[in-house]
Amino acid sequence: MDTHPAQSPSPIALCRLDALVEGAAVALDAVAQAGGEPLDLILLRHAGEVRAFRNVCPHAGRRLDYAPGKFLLQRGQLICAVHGATFDAADGRCVAGPCRGEHLQAVAVRVEDGLIQLAPNQHPAAISGTSD
Ligand code: FES
């Protein structure tokens, strides 16, 4: 019988909150733990809120950036560089394009002590990133 309380994993910082300016997006490539899936993220700030989504377009499964870490983000809409699907930055819903009505997969993040962190239930082993 295990007498030690379960320890929650340490939070993983993705980037500083003040480095993510309103209306900008960054790409972060998380290397998953052995046996896990890679976690390619889009981190953006919209209406003061931080949002994170998997960098996988629901249309054809491609990354949304037109170059590593470079996104088309205009007036609260994130546009996939491959075929132009347009997503609401607030909730990841496709509002125009070939996958209208589908959603980007949201990833839970939190802000603590000025750092954007991956929520404890989504824990990769390492993070690397490129920014816009
Ligand atoms: S892969 Fe994004 S619109 Fe086709």
Side-chain angles (χ1 to χ4, degrees):
M1 182 173 148
D2 185 5
T3 57
H4 299 284
Q7 291 185 340
S8 59
S10 301
I12 292 182
L14 299 174
C15 78
R16 292 177 49 86
L17 178 61
D18 60 11
L20 187 63
V21 298
E22 178 72 27
V26 298
L28 294 163
D29 298 327
V31 179
Q33 292 173 335
E37 283 184 46
L39 194 60
D40 298 336
L41 301 177
I42 304 166
L43 203 58
L44 59 86
R45 200 161 173 181
H46 174 67
E49 299 290 325
V50 175
R51 308 275 187 229
F53 301 102
R54 297 287 301 269
N55 191 5
V56 179
C57 182
H59 173 229
R62 305 271 296 274
R63 291 175 63 103
L64 281 78
D65 34 352
Y66 62 89
K70 305 289 185 190
F71 293 95
L72 301 167
L73 180 61
Q74 301 171 341
R75 295 184 294 277
Q77 294 185 323
L78 181 64
I79 302 166
C80 178
V82 183
H83 307 110
T86 302
F87 300 89
D88 187 329
D91 61 5
R93 183 174 57 91
C94 183
V95 295
C99 52
R100 188 181 182 103
E102 295 187 52
H103 284 78
L104 295 172
Q105 184 181 343
V107 174
V109 292
R110 66 183 184 190
V111 178
E112 199 168 299
D113 296 330
L115 293 173
I116 303 168
Q117 301 174 344
L118 201 62
N121 61 340
Q122 330 222 11
H123 241 226
I127 303 283
S128 62
T130 50
S131 61
D132 192 7

